[in-house]
Amino acid sequence: MAPRKKKAQISVYLDPATMGLLADYAARRDQPQSLIAEAAIASFLSPDAAEQREATIAKRFDQLDRRMARLERDLSISVETLAVFVRFWLATTPALAEPVAQAARAKAGERYEAFVAALGRRLAKGPRLAQEIAEDGGAAKA
């Protein structure tokens, strides 16, 4: 068995915030702070550290790209859904005579205010419709 080389000791000054991060990380990993610091320094000084950072950044960009693609798809579906609804509504709802139309416009203002209030409450507290649909779909498959 080869004899172990004794490690050299150094003194390092860390600002309190960095020291707190180091202590928290070491405690979560149940490892000595010196081991975490040694690994961090080795990683920093590693000749392939730049490539590792580049790979990490590329991975994150790929994740963001996939998320953006999903958002674009979801937005496109939402716009198409609204367009289909408006076309259907316009095709199936007859125009009102003028005296009735004035009363309908007045009532529409009240109904719109109630709609906006209900939407605000829903956005503030409840699950989103997409989440409910996903949960209903998952329950249907089970």
Side-chain angles (χ1 to χ4, degrees):
M1 181 173 186
R4 286 183 49 179
K5 291 183 182 179
K6 184 175 179 184
K7 293 183 177 186
Q9 181 177 354
I10 64 168
S11 294
V12 178
Y13 296 97
L14 301 174
D15 68 65
T18 303
M19 187 62 202
L21 291 171
L22 175 61
D24 290 345
Y25 188 85
R28 280 195 317 271
R29 299 282 192 248
D30 194 26
Q31 297 289 328
Q33 292 179 14
S34 61
L35 182 67
I36 304 298
E38 181 182 3
I41 293 169
S43 175
F44 184 81
L45 298 175
S46 169
D48 63 340
E51 288 84 14
Q52 289 175 347
R53 280 192 298 275
E54 186 177 326
T56 301
I57 291 170
K59 181 180 176 183
R60 288 183 182 165
F61 277 145
D62 288 344
Q63 290 170 344
L64 287 172
D65 188 47
R66 286 191 299 276
R67 288 179 185 167
M68 286 294 295
R70 278 194 307 270
L71 284 171
E72 288 173 354
R73 182 204 67 205
D74 292 350
L75 181 60
S76 176
I77 290 170
S78 297
V79 168
E80 288 300 317
T81 300
L82 181 60
V84 168
F85 172 79
V86 168
R87 281 187 187 148
F88 177 78
W89 185 83
L90 290 173
T92 59
T93 305
L96 299 174
E98 189 53 38
V100 177
Q102 289 176 355
R105 279 192 289 276
K107 190 65 176 174
E110 294 172 24
R111 292 176 68 194
Y112 180 74
E113 292 300 322
F115 166 75
V116 169
L119 178 62
R121 285 190 306 272
R122 175 139 177 118
L123 291 175
K125 72 168 183 124
R128 304 290 193 264
L129 179 63
Q131 181 182 351
E132 288 179 3
I133 291 172
E135 289 170 358
D136 289 346
K141 291 179 182 177

